Amino acid sequence: MPARLQLVIQQEGGAEQSFNLPFGVYSLGQDKGNKIVLKDETISWKHAVLSVRSDELAIEDLNSNTGTYVEGERVRNRQVFQLDDRVQIGKYTLRVRDPEAVNAKAAGPQKAASAPAKASTKDKDETPPHLKRRSGLSPEARIRRDIKRQVHKELLDRLDLRRMTAENIGETALQDRARELVDQIINDVRERLPGKIDPQKLADEIYNEAVKLGPLEDYLADDSITEIMVNGHDQIFVERQGRLTKAETTFVDDASVQAIIERIVAPLGRRIDESKPYVDARLPDGSRVNAIIHPLSLVGPCITIRKFAKVPFTVSKLIEMGALTRGVAEFIDICVKVRKNIIVSGGTGTGKTTFLNVVSGYLPDHERIVTVEDAAELRLPQEHVVRLESRPANIEGTGAITIRDLVRNALRMRPDRIVVGECRGGEALDMLQAMNTGHEGSLTTVHANTPRDVISRLETMVLMSGMELPVKAIREQIGSAIHMIIHLGRFQDGSRRVSKVTEVCGMEGDKIVMQDLFEFKQQGLDEAGKVIGTLIPTGNVPTFIDEIRSRGLELDPAVFDPSRAEEYAT
């Protein structure tokens, strides 16, 4: 497949329109949320999906009313097609072309004949020396990579995708057929494999790369791994207990990494290509995924996966891990019950979303909860939960639905509580207004280094909303809306803990008054390098202690007594 492709769209009786078509997955239909919008009453809202890969072109009909046709033949499910084939959808004809071939043909035979000489100079590696890197693969790893490439090619030759699509073969049957063929191919070459290579393990690796997530499958299944980082096809790092280590396995090539990214983002209706070379997504278990590709990444396609535990963390588990104490957990429970607005803050990788998920577990079962997120990661145990997820723009740059749009819409959905995955822009103003107008007890997270920085960050984000408000008015909004800040830290041993629990007490003059209720005190390190310390009360008592009592809730005042901290530690 050529490196550059062009999509030509012609409406019946209209002129042709041409667009650059980077590799990726494109939804087609009437709805503005599609990446390619086709305005025709005979076309379904979500009509079809176009898949453009380095090794194939395919179109899949989404049970549309009027059908999708390739060269006059109706597409029954998913069909592979060739460059310049006519794809008919309603009154539109689509063709995928190689622009260089079209230009060469238009230039005539003399110019076309000179093309090979031009191509030979283009093929030279012009990468600056300081941007090149050595893969560092051992001879055995290189042999393994070359064998995998050969088996991949043989698999594609034997796996007749065009015939299987025509026969309407389902995904499960396709995976079973791929597994069978991989085993056959490995069996055929078993005698020629180097002695150090396990044929069964090699077959598993090739199968995973062909139809699943390749080398990532093993790391996703390993509960001891919390983060996976792919830096091009030849480098994978994993994080265990806060420590980064380089993994033994690699991908076959950059195209394999790109294919993995497409498998992750396609079911979510998102895209990644040259026009938008980065994307945020999630795996089915809620794990967070970020991917970035050429031309922004100079080392090849990169994937960062922050894993979510298969079994969601509970308060008791966090106490056992030393992330917080029983006294702090009881206090947070009371704060949620008396409908205090809470912000979970911290730097990157401190576990804000995980902790927000745990705190959300305190929300009452009888209330209506609306969650708003960029990528739906929260897994709340309550029954009455409405989950909203933002949407990026389509290929025409329209149809984006932002977090701010969803927060505004959530206010019209009669929520008892609103949980925003993260405030990072103008939505902070809408969130503050919601907290101040009858939606008490809402939760969100904010990136910040200290609880005091949370206030500064919120002021900046409110200004990003485009509203020209005086700073004092913004601070008054923050001072009345935010009640508690739970700040998380990531310590030198890789552990993530609650480092401060701070109450926002309102305004005093032009300044927001805050008091720390609990603070983590570190005593040192043990022999294994683990941080020794505990979260202890500062002696300050929350200003709403009388409100807690008036609601008939019980909270032992000893929770805030530093001399009795050990009683509530575990």
Side-chain angles (χ1 to χ4, degrees):
M1 194 71 64
R4 292 178 60 246
L5 294 174
Q6 188 179 71
L7 176 65
V8 180
I9 302 178
Q10 183 174 21
Q11 189 176 10
E12 190 176 304
E16 282 189 354
Q17 291 182 293
S18 299
F19 305 92
N20 288 330
L21 189 67
F23 297 143
V25 179
Y26 302 87
S27 56
L28 303 92
Q30 270 202 73
D31 185 56
K32 291 182 180 179
N34 290 297
K35 296 175 185 176
I36 301 175
V37 179
L38 303 176
K39 298 176 182 178
D40 180 2
E41 293 181 357
T42 64
I43 294 175
S44 300
W45 291 105
K46 290 191 179 294
H47 194 101
V49 173
L50 173 65
S51 176
V52 182
R53 294 175 49 184
S54 59
D55 55 351
E56 72 169 16
L57 300 169
I59 188 83
E60 180 179 355
D61 188 83
L62 301 178
N63 296 319
S64 64
N65 296 327
T66 55
T68 304
Y69 297 82
V70 174
E71 291 294 330
E73 184 178 331
R74 183 160 186 166
V75 175
R76 296 301 174 187
N77 188 6
R78 182 179 186 276
Q79 183 167 327
V80 178
F81 63 96
Q82 306 300 320
L83 290 173
D84 287 322
D85 281 356
R86 289 180 296 109
V87 178
Q88 193 75 32
I89 298 179
K91 296 179 181 179
Y92 288 88
T93 300
L94 288 72
R95 292 176 187 265
V96 179
R97 290 178 174 170
D98 176 2
E100 293 186 3
V102 173
N103 294 338
K105 186 175 180 181
Q110 182 177 0
K111 202 161 187 180
S114 64
K118 185 177 180 181
S120 64
T121 60
K122 186 179 178 181
D123 289 340
K124 291 181 180 178
D125 185 3
E126 298 176 355
T127 306
H130 68 282
L131 293 182
K132 294 181 181 179
R133 68 175 187 178
R134 299 177 63 182
S135 66
L137 293 179
S138 64
E140 180 187 337
R142 289 194 185 94
I143 294 172
R144 190 184 199 88
R145 181 188 62 190
D146 293 341
I147 293 172
K148 287 167 73 173
R149 283 176 175 167
Q150 294 173 19
V151 176
H152 264 289
K153 185 178 183 304
E154 180 68 18
L155 176 63
L156 290 175
D157 291 342
R158 296 193 191 186
L159 197 65
D160 190 347
L161 292 176
R162 182 184 289 272
R163 180 185 60 78
M164 295 183 76
T165 303
E167 293 177 359
N168 200 19
I169 299 294
E171 183 178 353
T172 303
L174 179 63
Q175 290 183 358
D176 291 343
R177 179 60 176 156
R179 175 83 253 189
E180 180 185 339
L181 286 175
V182 168
D183 289 340
Q184 286 180 10
I185 297 169
I186 294 296
N187 191 54
D188 291 344
V189 300
R190 181 184 294 267
E191 294 180 358
R192 300 195 298 275
L193 290 177
K196 293 183 179 180
I197 294 181
D198 181 359
Q200 188 56 51
K201 186 176 180 181
L202 180 65
D204 292 340
E205 290 175 6
I206 294 171
Y207 170 75
N208 284 336
E209 284 195 34
V211 298
K212 292 191 175 181
L213 300 183
L216 306 185
E217 287 289 337
D218 290 338
Y219 304 135
L220 290 169
D222 188 342
D223 293 336
S224 67
I225 293 176
T226 54
E227 201 143 1
I228 305 167
M229 287 147 274
V230 179
N231 307 331
H233 73 275
D234 57 354
Q235 249 188 26
I236 300 177
F237 285 86
V238 296
E239 182 190 64
R240 286 186 177 91
Q241 298 179 346
R243 305 290 184 183
L244 288 177
T245 56
K246 188 175 181 181
E248 292 289 333
T249 55
T250 62
F251 285 88
V252 173
D253 50 32
D254 284 347
S256 298
V257 186
Q258 183 93 10
I260 297 299
I261 296 172
E262 289 173 7
R263 280 182 211 141
I264 293 172
V265 303
L268 305 176
R270 305 200 172 197
R271 67 187 175 94
I272 184 166
D273 48 49
E274 288 183 4
S275 63
K276 190 178 185 299
Y278 57 89
V279 67
D280 288 316
R282 57 179 166 79
L283 297 178
D285 66 355
S287 295
R288 185 183 306 172
V289 180
N290 174 270
I292 186 166
I293 61 173
H294 179 80
L296 299 187
S297 170
L298 303 180
V299 298
C302 295
I303 308 173
T304 308
I305 300 177
R306 184 166 297 165
K307 287 176 59 180
F308 264 30
K310 293 177 182 177
V311 178
F313 281 101
T314 61
V315 173
S316 57
K317 181 66 175 176
L318 292 182
I319 294 173
E320 180 187 331
M321 294 167 59
L324 76 164
T325 62
R326 181 170 61 87
V328 172
E330 290 179 4
F331 175 62
I332 294 173
D333 184 15
I334 292 291
C335 289
V336 173
K337 286 178 179 175
V338 297
R339 304 184 70 84
K340 295 301 174 185
N341 297 319
I342 299 173
I343 287 184
V344 178
S345 65
T348 300
T350 54
K352 296 185 296 298
T353 304
T354 298
F355 197 85
L356 179 65
N357 206 69
V358 172
V359 174
S360 299
Y362 285 131
L363 296 173
D365 289 326
H366 63 272
E367 293 187 344
R368 176 175 170 85
I369 305 165
V370 179
T371 68
V372 179
E373 300 174 83
D374 256 337
E377 300 169 340
L378 296 174
R379 291 177 287 175
L380 274 61
Q382 293 84 353
E383 183 179 6
H384 198 167
V385 178
V386 180
R387 305 172 73 199
L388 306 180
E389 185 178 50
S390 65
R391 184 179 72 187
N394 60 24
I395 195 171
E396 297 176 340
T398 60
I401 305 296
T402 65
I403 290 287
R404 189 175 187 188
D405 296 328
L406 294 179
V407 171
R408 288 174 174 174
N409 188 77
L411 299 178
R412 303 181 180 95
M413 297 176 66
R414 197 256 175 225
D416 290 307
R417 312 270 186 151
I418 299 175
V419 181
V420 178
E422 182 182 347
C423 279
R424 59 165 67 95
E427 65 272 5
L429 175 61
D430 301 282
M431 188 70 184
L432 291 173
Q433 289 179 329
M435 291 173 170
N436 274 323
T437 54
H439 297 90
E440 298 92 351
S442 296
L443 310 170
T444 188
T445 71
V446 170
H447 268 84
N449 292 327
T450 65
R452 175 61 65 180
D453 285 345
V454 172
I455 306 302
S456 301
R457 285 271 296 149
L458 286 172
E459 290 177 10
T460 303
M461 288 188 283
V462 170
L463 293 172
M464 290 169 64
S465 69
M467 301 292 289
E468 296 183 2
L469 298 173
V471 173
K472 185 175 180 181
I474 296 172
R475 287 179 182 169
E476 287 174 348
Q477 284 272 329
I478 296 171
S480 59
I482 306 302
H483 301 126
M484 297 296 304
I485 297 173
I486 303 171
H487 189 73
L488 307 180
R490 181 171 177 168
F491 292 81
Q492 62 199 79
D493 61 351
S495 62
R496 300 165 174 88
R497 307 168 187 252
V498 175
S499 61
K500 278 189 180 182
V501 178
T502 303
E503 181 189 6
V504 180
C505 306
M507 292 283 292
E508 191 174 288
D510 291 338
K511 189 176 180 181
I512 292 177
V513 179
M514 304 166 68
Q515 64 169 352
D516 294 333
L517 301 179
F518 299 90
E519 186 174 6
F520 184 82
K521 294 293 184 183
Q522 181 175 341
Q523 282 93 38
L525 301 174
D526 65 12
E527 295 179 356
K530 295 289 185 182
V531 170
I532 301 172
T534 187
L535 192 63
I536 62 173
T538 60
N540 295 323
V541 177
T543 58
F544 52 88
I545 191 72
D546 292 335
E547 182 183 348
I548 294 174
R549 291 169 183 154
S550 67
R551 296 202 180 197
L553 298 172
E554 294 183 4
L555 181 64
D556 189 348
V559 169
F560 306 104
D561 186 350
S563 64
R564 301 177 62 182
E566 291 185 4
E567 297 179 28
Y568 289 90
T570 57

